[in-house]
Amino acid sequence: MKIQNDLGQDPIPRLVLHLAVPAMVAQFVNVLYSIIDRMYIGNIPDIGDLALAGVGVCGPIVTLLSSFGTLVGLGGSILTAMKLGEKKPKQAKQIIANCFLMLLVFSLTLTLFFFLFRETLLYWFGASPVTMPYANTYLTIYTAGSFFALTAVGMNYFITCQGFAAVGMVTTLLGAVVNILLDPVFIFVLKLNVAGAAIATVLAQFSSFLFVLLFLRSKKVPIPVTLGGYSLPLMKRVLALGFSPFLIMASDNIILIILNSVLQRHGGAQGDSLITCATIVQSYAALITGPMLGISGGTQALISFNYGARNKSRIKEAEKYILLLCLAFTTVMFLISRFLPQYFVTLFTKDPDLLTLSVWGIQTFTMAVIPLSFQYVLVDGLTALGCCKASLSLSLFRKSSFVAFTLLLPVLFTAKHTFYAEPLADFISSAITTVTYLLLMKRFFRQM
């Protein structure tokens, strides 16, 4: 495989694989950050299940913080790819410089906010008096290193959009390996428990941050990261392009926060057990949605570049192969979800009741993952073409549907039925997105 891909000349099927597979692996490995933490935490003697529930409350907040890296990085990389397709390297360089500044501002602001309000937020988001100490410890330490997480995630997009997909994969692989090695040391050897898991994660993110910064400052990249040339209108343009994928990630985590809160409120004495179950289910679901985001997000540079070059046939061909790859992946994961989820659950808990509940939760939560391929690929395709209003509206519809079902189902039935909210929202929104996309693209290509 070539180190750098020619987005305007290489064959589309090969480009899709060269861009999507490393991005899939990178997202999969990125998911391992939280899964490895939770796996080790769930096996801490005596406190494992309660500690897992506490960290489960933090999980959506942690990912919400990282999604701000996607807001800047993905929006900026789409615009950068367009400028590279238009043969405007100076403007591409200015975009990267502006994005680096925005990541710095976002990380400092979010760190301060979560330090000041973390305890209140954790109670709102589903922590109980029993699980609060574990949740507070984990979030406090993680927040201290949020700059490394945001910058590593955000700037890594500028490696991929310049054709270095394999290097972008190495960024997350490096962080995951560091996390895997340090977790057992800090949790069990040094006996730091939940605090150890958080410290290991921050150090892993620091290693990814350092790698990204050094690579983007090297002579290997055509457009390195620099300082200066700041422009408020340009920053607004970046945020507008990145807002739809940011909303997908951020609202996913806001919804999970709502889910935890609903389970705690309607679950009664089973509230903490249901949140532990939801934590395991969400960890499994991330193994599907993370690589899906890698496929659809990792190939956006290909679509954006050819949009900048005004090459309609390559855009259409790219979308076709991206969708086929995503459908193949989700079909395999759907089958695994039907027959093998118990092997995943046993990594977190040995409690028989929790094991049974979590296997059922995984099978329920993933009922509509195959049609969800259309939602991810087509919405991200619209974003890559600059159709931000359409992609944002479609994303909002899916999220609002999920929230509506999450709030309604436990009232009509039981707290356990809340797990049906995900497949219902996924199936309905995927159907509407597909129809909308076909209508919009017919008009879009005619105008183009």
Side-chain angles (χ1 to χ4, degrees), residues 15-17 19-20 23 293-304 318 322 384:
L15 274 173
V16 169
L17 287 176
L19 292 172
L293 184 61
I295 294 172
S296 61
T299 52
Q300 281 183 310
L302 173 59
I303 297 172
S304 299
I322 295 166

Side-chain angles (χ1 to χ4, degrees), residues 311-354:
N311 196 326
K312 291 188 287 187
S313 62
R314 286 178 66 83
I315 294 173
K316 292 178 181 179
E317 190 180 2
E319 284 282 59
K320 180 180 73 173
Y321 283 104
I322 295 166
L323 182 58
L324 287 174
L325 181 59
C326 200
L327 285 170
F329 170 74
T330 52
T331 299
V332 171
M333 293 306 297
F334 176 80
L335 293 174
I336 293 174
S337 304
R338 297 305 100 194
F339 302 110
L340 302 174
Q342 63 274 17
Y343 297 105
F344 180 81
V345 177
T346 54
L347 296 173
F348 297 85
T349 182
K350 301 297 186 291
D351 182 271
D353 293 333
L354 193 54

Side-chain angles (χ1 to χ4, degrees), residues 5 25 39 102 128 143 162 174 208-209 215 246 287 291 314 345 365 371 401 437 439 444:
N5 300 290
V25 174
M39 181 183 71
M102 283 192 285
S128 69
T143 302
Q162 296 186 64
L174 175 64
S208 294
F209 157 77
F215 187 82
F246 162 76
L287 289 175
R314 286 178 66 83
V345 177
F365 216 70
S401 298
Y437 178 86
L439 294 174
F444 181 85

Side-chain angles (χ1 to χ4, degrees), residues 33-38 41 51 54-59 61-63 118 122 131-145 179 183 187 193-202 205:
Y33 277 107
S34 59
I35 290 180
I36 291 168
D37 280 347
R38 293 171 182 183
I41 289 167
V55 174
V57 173
C58 296
I61 302 173
V62 166
T63 313
R118 64 186 184 280
L122 287 170
T131 61
M132 182 61 181
Y134 308 112
N136 190 29
T137 297
Y138 190 90
L139 187 61
T140 300
I141 296 171
Y142 184 91
T143 302
N179 202 28
D183 255 336
I187 295 173
N193 296 333
V194 171
I199 293 170
T201 300
V202 170
Q205 290 166 342

Side-chain angles (χ1 to χ4, degrees), residues 157-204:
Y157 283 102
F158 295 101
I159 295 176
T160 303
C161 80
Q162 296 186 64
F164 298 94
V167 178
M169 177 183 68
V170 171
T171 301
T172 48
L173 281 173
L174 175 64
V177 170
V178 172
N179 202 28
I180 290 169
L181 294 175
L182 294 183
D183 255 336
V185 174
F186 282 101
I187 295 173
F188 299 112
V189 177
L190 299 179
K191 300 186 184 301
L192 294 176
N193 296 333
V194 171
I199 293 170
T201 300
V202 170
L203 291 175

